[in-house]
Short mmCIF file of all heavy atoms in Angstrom, two decimals:
data_model
loop_
_atom_site.label_atom_id
_atom_site.label_comp_id
_atom_site.label_asym_id
_atom_site.label_seq_id
_atom_site.Cartn_x
_atom_site.Cartn_y
_atom_site.Cartn_z
N THR A 611 -67.15 36.77 -4.18
CA THR A 611 -67.69 35.51 -3.70
C THR A 611 -66.70 34.40 -4.03
O THR A 611 -66.17 34.29 -5.13
CB THR A 611 -69.03 35.20 -4.42
OG1 THR A 611 -69.92 36.29 -4.17
CG2 THR A 611 -69.63 33.92 -3.83
N ASP A 612 -66.41 33.56 -2.98
CA ASP A 612 -65.34 32.57 -3.17
C ASP A 612 -65.74 31.23 -2.59
O ASP A 612 -66.91 31.02 -2.23
CB ASP A 612 -64.03 33.06 -2.54
CG ASP A 612 -64.18 33.23 -1.05
OD1 ASP A 612 -65.29 33.10 -0.50
OD2 ASP A 612 -63.15 33.46 -0.36
N ILE A 613 -64.76 30.34 -2.50
CA ILE A 613 -65.03 29.00 -2.00
C ILE A 613 -65.52 28.95 -0.58
O ILE A 613 -66.32 28.11 -0.19
CB ILE A 613 -63.79 28.13 -2.21
CG1 ILE A 613 -64.11 26.65 -1.90
CG2 ILE A 613 -62.63 28.62 -1.38
CD1 ILE A 613 -62.96 25.71 -2.16
N VAL A 614 -65.05 29.93 0.22
CA VAL A 614 -65.48 29.99 1.63
C VAL A 614 -66.97 30.31 1.71
O VAL A 614 -67.70 29.75 2.53
CB VAL A 614 -64.65 31.01 2.39
CG1 VAL A 614 -65.10 31.11 3.83
CG2 VAL A 614 -63.16 30.64 2.32
N ASP A 615 -67.42 31.19 0.86
CA ASP A 615 -68.85 31.55 0.85
C ASP A 615 -69.69 30.31 0.48
O ASP A 615 -70.79 30.13 1.04
CB ASP A 615 -69.10 32.67 -0.15
CG ASP A 615 -68.41 33.97 0.27
OD1 ASP A 615 -68.26 34.14 1.50
OD2 ASP A 615 -68.01 34.74 -0.60
N ILE A 616 -69.22 29.52 -0.46
CA ILE A 616 -69.96 28.33 -0.84
C ILE A 616 -70.05 27.35 0.31
O ILE A 616 -71.14 26.82 0.64
CB ILE A 616 -69.31 27.64 -2.04
CG1 ILE A 616 -69.31 28.58 -3.26
CG2 ILE A 616 -69.98 26.35 -2.38
CD1 ILE A 616 -68.60 28.03 -4.47
N LEU A 617 -68.94 27.13 0.99
CA LEU A 617 -68.91 26.18 2.06
C LEU A 617 -69.72 26.67 3.27
O LEU A 617 -70.26 25.87 4.05
CB LEU A 617 -67.47 25.89 2.51
CG LEU A 617 -66.60 25.19 1.43
CD1 LEU A 617 -65.17 25.02 1.95
CD2 LEU A 617 -67.18 23.83 1.06
N GLU A 618 -69.80 27.98 3.47
CA GLU A 618 -70.61 28.52 4.58
C GLU A 618 -72.10 28.60 4.19
O GLU A 618 -72.92 28.93 5.04
CB GLU A 618 -70.13 29.93 4.92
CG GLU A 618 -68.74 29.90 5.62
CD GLU A 618 -68.30 31.32 5.97
OE1 GLU A 618 -68.81 32.26 5.33
OE2 GLU A 618 -67.45 31.44 6.84
N GLY A 619 -72.44 28.32 2.89
CA GLY A 619 -73.79 28.37 2.46
C GLY A 619 -74.29 29.76 2.17
O GLY A 619 -75.47 29.98 1.97
N LYS A 620 -73.35 30.72 1.97
CA LYS A 620 -73.75 32.08 1.68
C LYS A 620 -73.89 32.35 0.19
O LYS A 620 -74.49 33.35 -0.24
CB LYS A 620 -72.68 33.06 2.21
CG LYS A 620 -72.57 33.01 3.72
CD LYS A 620 -71.49 34.01 4.18
CE LYS A 620 -71.32 33.97 5.69
NZ LYS A 620 -70.28 34.91 6.13
N ALA A 621 -73.41 31.44 -0.66
CA ALA A 621 -73.52 31.62 -2.09
C ALA A 621 -73.55 30.25 -2.75
O ALA A 621 -73.10 29.22 -2.19
CB ALA A 621 -72.34 32.45 -2.61
N SER A 622 -74.04 30.25 -4.01
CA SER A 622 -74.10 29.00 -4.71
C SER A 622 -72.80 28.86 -5.54
O SER A 622 -72.01 29.77 -5.66
CB SER A 622 -75.31 29.00 -5.66
OG SER A 622 -75.14 30.05 -6.67
N LEU A 623 -72.61 27.67 -6.17
CA LEU A 623 -71.44 27.43 -6.96
C LEU A 623 -71.38 28.33 -8.19
O LEU A 623 -70.30 28.87 -8.50
CB LEU A 623 -71.41 25.95 -7.39
CG LEU A 623 -70.17 25.51 -8.20
CD1 LEU A 623 -68.89 25.71 -7.39
CD2 LEU A 623 -70.34 24.05 -8.59
N ASP A 624 -72.53 28.53 -8.79
CA ASP A 624 -72.54 29.40 -9.99
C ASP A 624 -72.20 30.84 -9.64
O ASP A 624 -71.57 31.56 -10.45
CB ASP A 624 -73.95 29.33 -10.64
CG ASP A 624 -74.24 27.97 -11.23
OD1 ASP A 624 -73.23 27.30 -11.63
OD2 ASP A 624 -75.40 27.56 -11.32
N ALA A 626 -70.15 31.84 -7.37
CA ALA A 626 -68.73 31.96 -6.92
C ALA A 626 -67.77 31.76 -8.09
O ALA A 626 -66.65 32.26 -8.07
CB ALA A 626 -68.41 30.95 -5.83
N ILE A 627 -68.14 31.00 -9.12
CA ILE A 627 -67.20 30.69 -10.24
C ILE A 627 -67.04 31.93 -11.12
O ILE A 627 -68.02 32.58 -11.52
CB ILE A 627 -67.72 29.51 -11.04
CG1 ILE A 627 -67.69 28.22 -10.17
CG2 ILE A 627 -66.84 29.29 -12.30
CD1 ILE A 627 -68.23 26.99 -10.90
N LEU A 638 -62.31 29.31 -9.20
CA LEU A 638 -62.98 29.37 -7.88
C LEU A 638 -61.94 29.87 -6.90
O LEU A 638 -61.02 29.13 -6.50
CB LEU A 638 -63.48 27.97 -7.47
CG LEU A 638 -64.28 27.94 -6.17
CD1 LEU A 638 -65.47 28.88 -6.19
CD2 LEU A 638 -64.76 26.50 -5.92
N LEU A 659 -68.47 19.52 -2.41
CA LEU A 659 -68.18 20.53 -3.42
C LEU A 659 -67.38 19.92 -4.58
O LEU A 659 -67.71 20.14 -5.74
CB LEU A 659 -67.37 21.70 -2.77
CG LEU A 659 -66.84 22.75 -3.75
CD1 LEU A 659 -67.98 23.44 -4.48
CD2 LEU A 659 -65.96 23.78 -3.01
#
Side-chain angles (χ1 to χ4, degrees):
T611 304
D612 63 352
I613 187 174
V614 177
D615 295 330
I616 296 175
L617 296 176
E618 289 180 340
K620 296 180 180 180
S622 65
L623 181 61
D624 292 332
I627 294 177
L638 184 56
L659 173 62

